[in-house]
Amino acid sequence: MQFFETIFLEEADEFMQTLDKKTRQKVMYNVRVAEQTNDPGLFKKLNDNIWEFRTKFLGQQIRILAFWDKKNKVETLVLATNGFIKKTSKTPKSEIERAERIRSDYFNNK
């Protein structure tokens, strides 16, 4: 059973292209598992609007920020906004603000 479908918006897609092939595959594997299991270890709520896909691979903490768009009762989308490699224990506020900005643009242009 799939809980939601993930769509990568431009900035998230561009970030994914900066990763090497094996890292990219691991991130996508975790996204697909999160879609089917809703595992908080892989997909965690950061604030009211923003969530993060979490991947630890080869000693790196890779994060893809995202938000929900519940189009209707049947289809639920998660839109990945941006990604980064985490260097501290906290998610940088600037990355969360960037995700919020992308989310606002998305809903304003919908």
Side-chain angles (χ1 to χ4, degrees):
M1 182 181 149
Q2 190 171 7
F3 287 98
F4 57 88
E5 178 187 349
T6 306
I7 295 175
F8 281 70
L9 298 177
E10 187 177 357
E11 282 192 45
D13 195 46
E14 287 171 4
F15 169 74
M16 290 293 287
Q17 299 311 314
T18 68
L19 302 174
D20 66 80
K21 184 180 178 187
K22 283 192 174 188
T23 303
R24 205 169 35 246
Q25 287 173 333
K26 177 65 174 173
V27 170
M28 289 310 299
Y29 173 81
N30 281 359
V31 167
R32 300 297 171 237
V33 170
E35 289 174 343
Q36 295 168 22
T37 63
N38 227 355
D39 179 347
L42 297 176
F43 192 53
K44 180 181 172 200
K45 188 173 188 173
L46 294 179
N47 66 24
D48 287 345
N49 299 320
I50 304 301
W51 291 63
E52 72 177 354
F53 287 103
R54 305 156 61 99
T55 299
K56 186 174 185 178
F57 187 65
L58 300 175
Q60 291 185 309
Q61 299 276 348
I62 300 126
R63 299 293 188 259
I64 305 289
L65 300 188
F67 64 90
W68 292 84
D69 180 1
K70 295 181 181 180
K71 294 174 90 173
N72 53 48
K73 289 184 168 71
V74 178
E75 188 178 36
T76 302
L77 294 177
V78 168
L79 292 109
T81 56
N82 54 308
F84 59 96
I85 295 178
K86 207 164 131 173
K87 295 180 175 34
T88 63
S89 60
K90 282 197 168 255
T91 300
K93 191 174 181 186
S94 61
E95 295 292 348
I96 295 172
E97 288 168 351
R98 176 195 264 173
E100 292 274 12
R101 207 168 39 252
I102 293 167
R103 179 183 178 274
S104 291
D105 290 347
Y106 171 83
F107 284 114
N108 288 338
N109 294 321
K110 193 171 172 188

